[in-house]
Amino acid sequence: MRAPQNNEQTGPQLEDLLHHLSECPGVFLEEPLFGNSASGHGVHSLALIFDLFLLQNVKLPTGVKRKLETSWESPRLSERCWQGWQLLAYLFSHSWFYEKKVLAKGFARGLDHMHKLTDVVEASAFIANPARREELCRLALFWCNLRPQGESPEQAEDRLKALDTLFRKDIEAKSSRNRSRAEEIRRKIQEARAREAANTYARE
């Protein structure tokens, strides 16, 4: 995770976003229709996202719109990813984002991050679990180069690092690799010592 930039601005109060996300309608957690089209149950994720921004009178950037359309026309993404994108669209429907004209950048960055994040966290956790709910709200601000109102850049960065699932998994993976390398070195040292002891015994 990079440090906040010098041009970082103060965003809305975190409590406002947390409350907004906690009131997310259940339709945004439904499975995408292509996942179980035989039964006819589910939601057309693409239409849901487009309709949401249309109702908010927000025009999605052409690049973002095309990325969503391409992903839907050739569905290679998991249902969990689309559920995450649906939830992300709802979070960005908070008026603060489009009134400040930061939605385009934040939503575009969020699509890629949520693609990875939903591999390890189910979308429903971002509503049911307080820590994951705060994580997503703080990430949304971070993607827009914003920080919660009333927090310094250092406070915002430290709190997000403590909550960021992918950042934590990356640290854990690096620690695991370091432990593996240390164990391999210890094993080679022990083998070398054993060979040296065996050679000494043979000479005697």
Side-chain angles (χ1 to χ4, degrees):
M1 178 183 300
R2 61 173 178 79
Q5 302 298 297
N6 293 330
N7 62 344
E8 184 185 56
Q9 303 175 19
T10 299
Q13 290 188 344
L14 182 65
E15 291 72 17
D16 288 347
L17 291 185
L18 292 171
H19 179 70
H20 175 66
L21 186 54
S22 69
E23 293 192 329
C24 180
V27 65
F28 288 92
L29 288 177
E30 289 188 15
E31 296 180 355
L33 189 59
F34 68 76
N36 52 3
S37 56
S39 66
H41 298 151
V43 63
H44 192 296
S45 305
L46 189 65
L48 180 68
I49 294 171
F50 286 174
D51 286 350
L52 177 67
F53 288 117
L54 182 63
L55 289 172
Q56 301 290 343
N57 198 29
V58 174
K59 183 178 180 180
L60 284 174
T62 302
V64 173
K65 187 172 182 291
R66 187 56 193 159
K67 178 183 180 67
L68 291 168
E69 289 173 337
T70 301
S71 299
W72 184 259
E73 291 165 1
S74 302
R76 293 184 295 272
L77 301 181
S78 68
E79 295 179 358
R80 287 169 57 143
C81 178
W82 274 103
Q83 287 174 309
W85 284 359
Q86 292 164 190
L87 191 60
L88 188 64
Y90 173 79
L91 177 57
F92 275 103
S93 72
H94 190 286
S95 62
W96 205 96
F97 291 106
Y98 56 82
E99 287 177 357
K100 298 297 181 181
K101 302 186 185 302
V102 295
L103 182 146
K105 175 172 63 178
F107 188 58
R109 293 180 66 187
L111 290 177
D112 291 333
H113 193 100
M114 287 299 285
H115 186 185
K116 301 173 184 176
L117 189 54
T118 49
D119 282 342
V120 293
V121 181
E122 291 189 11
S124 59
F126 293 108
I127 296 179
N129 186 303
R132 300 287 67 77
R133 187 162 62 246
E134 182 180 351
E135 175 186 6
L136 185 55
C137 288
R138 286 183 177 276
L139 281 170
L141 292 175
F142 177 77
W143 295 327
C144 296
N145 204 29
L146 300 169
R147 65 177 184 274
Q149 189 177 125
E151 293 186 8
S152 68
E154 293 75 21
Q155 289 173 325
E157 182 182 15
D158 288 346
R159 182 57 181 163
L160 182 53
K161 280 184 177 179
L163 292 167
D164 193 322
T165 301
L166 296 183
F167 177 76
R168 188 172 60 252
K169 285 185 68 66
D170 184 55
I171 294 298
E172 292 172 353
K174 289 179 180 177
S175 297
S176 178
R177 288 195 294 269
N178 288 338
R179 285 195 299 270
S180 297
R181 284 196 292 268
E183 291 172 359
E184 178 66 13
I185 290 172
R186 283 195 296 270
R187 184 183 65 80
K188 290 182 177 179
I189 291 175
Q190 290 172 351
E191 290 177 350
R193 287 174 177 172
R195 287 194 299 270
E196 182 180 355
N199 291 336
T200 301
Y201 178 81
R203 287 195 298 270
E204 293 177 351

